[in-house]
Amino acid sequence: MNVLSAAFFYQDHLSLAKSLLGKILVHEHYGKLLRGMIVETEAYHQSDPASHSFSGITKRNAVMFGKPAHAYVYFTYGMHYCLNVVAMEEGIGAAVLIRALEPLEGLETMMKRRKTDRTANLCNGPAKLTQAFGISKAQNSLNLLSPPLYITQGRHVELKSEIVSAPRVGIKKAVDVPWRFYLKDSSYISKK
DNA sequence: TCCCCGATTAACT
DNA sequence: GTTAATCGGGGAG
């Protein structure tokens, strides 16, 4: 089913953020198959003051500096988890935050976890999709090349006509840097 | 050790 | 538009 291989993830944070749009995130969790198309991402890099990796490697962000194609899951605001895909070669702190998905499979499980029956409200935010997909600390540092957590090819996306770039959400540094990317016509993104 | 605040969300007014 | 919820990371002292 066209699982993306390691070579795909050896891109810089910006091209990986755009390349991931239209791809399918899959989580095989407690016997359930959860799938969603990536419709919104943000890029982060060690040269960027808004990035966790900006101040160098620590216990928390070490995965960001590790090999690409791994999951960097962090805990924030005392209650939320966010999922990143590590980019670039080992030694460089770069990753792509997955901000929103279009739910494709396993909707009943997602609805139960999110306590809503509105499809558009299941995965339209970075902490919403980790809740819907059952992603938490346990998934931090997991390899994204095989079950239980992996990414498949998905649909073709026209780079210039379908992707919008904009400033990132919820940060206080580098607020004007347009490193948020989303599918222009998707109704599953976190914010207009 | 203390203290501030965050790559958020939902429930308010 | 405003704010509570809730806790770990990390800089300051």
Side-chain angles (χ1 to χ4, degrees):
Chain A
M1 57 191 150
N2 296 316
V3 178
L4 297 181
S5 59
F8 173 83
F9 299 90
Y10 279 88
Q11 308 187 48
D12 68 77
H13 53 305
L14 296 177
S15 38
L16 184 63
K18 288 179 269 193
S19 303
L20 280 171
L21 295 175
K23 304 293 189 288
I24 314 293
L25 178 71
V26 188
H27 193 197
E28 299 177 10
H29 196 227
Y30 291 105
K32 305 283 186 184
L33 186 64
L34 304 169
R35 299 196 314 127
M37 185 174 72
I38 298 169
V39 298
E40 180 181 346
T41 60
E42 285 180 3
Y44 289 88
H45 183 268
Q46 61 189 39
S47 67
D48 159 30
S51 174
H52 289 172
S53 54
F54 181 67
S55 300
I57 189 167
T58 66
K59 190 172 181 182
R60 179 202 198 191
N61 65 21
V63 178
M64 265 186 97
F65 289 84
K67 289 185 178 147
H70 285 245
Y72 168 47
V73 182
Y74 67 85
F75 180 68
T76 192
Y77 292 106
M79 64 184 79
H80 296 305
Y81 294 95
C82 295
L83 170 68
N84 294 251
V85 177
V86 175
M88 304 187 73
E89 63 267 31
E90 192 167 8
I92 298 181
V96 175
L97 171 69
I98 308 299
R99 281 197 61 88
L101 305 171
E102 174 177 337
L104 297 178
E105 188 172 347
L107 292 254
E108 288 183 11
T109 300
M110 298 184 200
M111 287 174 179
K112 202 181 299 176
R113 289 184 177 146
R114 292 274 304 120
K115 304 188 194 309
T116 177
D117 53 7
R118 287 189 49 233
T119 302
N121 191 31
L122 293 176
C123 300
N124 58 334
K128 294 182 181 182
L129 69 91
T130 55
Q131 186 184 21
F133 271 59
I135 292 170
S136 67
K137 264 202 165 60
Q139 281 72 34
N140 187 36
S141 84
L142 276 190
N143 178 315
L144 291 170
L145 303 173
S146 58
L149 191 59
Y150 54 97
I151 298 174
T152 64
Q153 183 56 44
R155 77 164 176 84
H156 174 76
V157 169
E158 203 64 53
L159 220 59
K160 290 189 176 164
S161 60
E162 289 191 71
I163 297 179
V164 178
S165 88
R168 292 169 293 183
V169 176
I171 55 172
K172 294 197 171 152
K173 296 168 185 169
V175 292
D176 294 326
V177 177
W179 285 359
R180 172 183 179 226
F181 305 95
Y182 58 89
L183 292 180
K184 189 176 64 175
D185 296 323
S186 175
S187 43
Y188 297 93
I189 61 174
S190 65
K191 285 189 180 181
K192 281 282 184 186

